[in-house]
Amino acid sequence: MYNFQYHRPKNLEEASQILDVGDDPKLVAGGMTIIPTLKQRLAQPSDLIDLADINNLVGINLQYQSLEIGSMTRHCDVAKSEIVREIIPALSSLASHIGDSQVRHRGTIGGSLANNDPAADYPAGALGLGATIITDKREILADDFFVGLFETALEDNEIITAVRFPKPKRAAYTKFPNPASRYAIIGVMVAETNNQVRVAVTGAGDDGVFREEKMEAALSTNFTSDAIADISIDDETLLSDIHASSEYRAHLINVMAQRAVDKAT
Amino acid sequence: MPSVTMKVNGKNVNAEVENRTLLVQYLRDHLNMTGTHVGCDTSQCGCCVVHVNGSSVKSCTMLAVQAEGADVVTIEGLADGEVLHPMQAAFREHHGLQCGFCTPGMVMSAVDLAKENPDPSETEIREWLEGNICRCTGYHNIVKAIAAGTKNMQG
Ligand SMILES: Cc1cc2nc3c(=O)[nH]c(=O)nc-3n(C[C@H](O)[C@H](O)[C@H](O)COP(=O)(O)OP(=O)(O)OC[C@H]3O[C@@H](n4cnc5c(N)ncnc54)[C@H](O)[C@@H]3O)c2cc1C
Ligand code: FES
Ligand code: FES
């Protein structure tokens, strides 16, 4: 690992200041992605800005009919939260299957969304549930947030502070995990919200998480697994690697989506 | 160099470390506590599991400076003198190890499980061990040991 300056600001303003003046600064949240990256010398930031001491980035609140989850809230805390279980059980289940217990004890929702790994779970959760990503500068709809592989709409000096999830009428997340890493080979979030049905797929797209519009249209008129059973997914834009070919991923998307529809509560 | 202060197995320790020093390197190379192992370079094997402020974490994926002010417990902190911790005793009793390389992480992970879930089912134990890899045992005896150790920890 190359060396760097380490900072542990007490509030957002201080963090933001260091971000503005640093040579090539990087934020660190749970470190579950960035530390392995630094260990492999795939990045060489001048400064690491640890968000751990900024208290108001942690917590889960119910506001009107939405859950607002602080960006530094760990996966284990979302998984165990009574309020998440009650309002959006699909999100609690998603969080409880990220990686392993030790990863969930450090990894955070803000870090996962900012990282936008094409096989990560939270991007499908946020896109499928129609979440809003809240930063220190503005609010970004999930539909506009995920730009490409490991790429988001975030500016270099922007910090995610929270994520707002509207309560769906019903939703479920299913994933076919890579047996070694537990990352999604395919993960599908299906949600019926107030005015639409949303289907978000992770693990498959060569541009990262995406919405599956043919399924959304079919489920809008008939929310049953039968309604999507015959929808075939074009594998042209899907990832193909040692874990799964694009044809297999296309098939799995349909299977996982049907299971999610059957499970949606 | 920055200085870092934390509590390790109940004792206050302070040292100068580089910012890039991992918690596991700090424990092994600076404090000479070599019970915590390093088995992989990919944050996946769990040999390096320690408790930080009461939660099991991978000490190879955390910087020593991130543990500033924290309460850290390692495998060396479990036994009471010559008397093994109930989870360690259960691993010995149920043959939960062969080469022993994964064992410190397995035991630390298991002790954390027992706190979260005092009566885990076999499936819950296996799911909890997702982040602990063992190349020798085939896991059966580890699972048995953890079931017994968890019971013994309750009383
Ligand atoms: C063994 C293992 C298994 C895993 N399995 C899974 C899995 O099954 N599913 C899954 O989804 N993930 C998995 N992960 C990834 C894990 O969920 C990470 O926690 C997550 O991807 C990154 O979150 P973090 O808090 O650790 O972020 P960090 O590693 O600290 O940061 C990641 C990136 O986000 C940036 N960042 C962090 N916080 C913010 C913020 N508030 N605002 C703006 N930018 C920010 C950082 O600068 C960095 O570039 C796994 C990781 C490991 C090590
Ligand atoms: S050495 Fe830490 S997970 Fe393998
Ligand atoms: S006992 Fe040898 S790796 Fe587990």
Side-chain angles (χ1 to χ4, degrees), chain A residues 216-235:
Chain A
E216 293 183 350
L219 292 169
S220 304
T221 45
N222 179 9
F223 196 89
T224 64
S225 48
D226 285 346
I228 54 171
D230 294 331
I231 293 181
S232 68
I233 310 285
D234 182 9
D235 68 284

Side-chain angles (χ1 to χ4, degrees), chain B residues 37-40 43-48 58 60:
Chain B
H37 293 168
V38 176
C40 71
S43 310
Q44 267 174 334
C45 76
C47 285
C48 62
K58 295 174 181 176
C60 74

Side-chain angles (χ1 to χ4, degrees), chain A residues 1-6 8 28-33 35-36 38-41 48 50 74 76 80 97 99-106 179-182, chain B residues 18-22 40-44 46 49 52 55-58 60-63 65-69 108-109 112 116 127-133:
Chain A
M1 197 185 305
Y2 299 112
N3 213 357
F4 44 79
Q5 296 291 320
Y6 175 79
R8 208 149 136 177
V28 55
M32 291 296 106
T33 293
I35 292 180
L38 295 176
K39 280 165 73 174
Q40 293 181 61
R41 294 196 167 178
L48 272 195
D50 194 338
R74 301 175 304 167
C76 61
K80 276 193 290 199
H97 291 101
D100 53 57
S101 27
Q102 286 72 39
V103 167
R104 294 191 294 272
H105 283 155
R106 297 282 302 160
S181 73
R182 311 319 276 179
Chain B
E18 286 189 308
N19 285 327
R20 62 177 161 180
T21 304
L22 297 169
C40 71
D41 211 9
T42 53
S43 310
Q44 267 174 334
V49 170
V52 175
S55 295
S56 55
V57 305
K58 295 174 181 176
C60 74
T61 315
M62 184 168 177
L63 303 169
V65 287
Q66 288 182 293
E68 168 69 36
M108 294 312 285
S109 191
D112 195 25
E116 295 237 342
E127 280 176 358
W128 186 266
L129 293 184
E130 190 52 60
N132 291 90
I133 294 174

Side-chain angles (χ1 to χ4, degrees), chain B residues 8-105:
Chain B
V8 177
N9 300 330
K11 266 210 263 166
N12 285 319
V13 289
N14 171 278
E16 299 207 331
V17 294
E18 286 189 308
N19 285 327
R20 62 177 161 180
T21 304
L22 297 169
L23 178 58
V24 70
Q25 293 172 318
Y26 177 62
L27 295 170
R28 291 179 57 86
D29 302 345
H30 293 252
L31 302 183
N32 289 325
M33 294 173 59
T34 52
T36 305
H37 293 168
V38 176
C40 71
D41 211 9
T42 53
S43 310
Q44 267 174 334
C45 76
C47 285
C48 62
V49 170
V50 302
H51 297 179
V52 175
N53 295 330
S55 295
S56 55
V57 305
K58 295 174 181 176
S59 61
C60 74
T61 315
M62 184 168 177
L63 303 169
V65 287
Q66 288 182 293
E68 168 69 36
D71 191 352
V72 178
V73 179
T74 71
I75 189 74
E76 288 94 341
L78 288 190
D80 180 9
E82 292 294 303
V83 183
L84 292 180
H85 181 279
M87 192 59 79
Q88 291 174 306
F91 268 70
R92 182 164 74 178
E93 169 79 19
H94 294 272
H95 215 83
L97 60 146
Q98 287 177 23
C99 80
F101 198 82
C102 69
T103 313

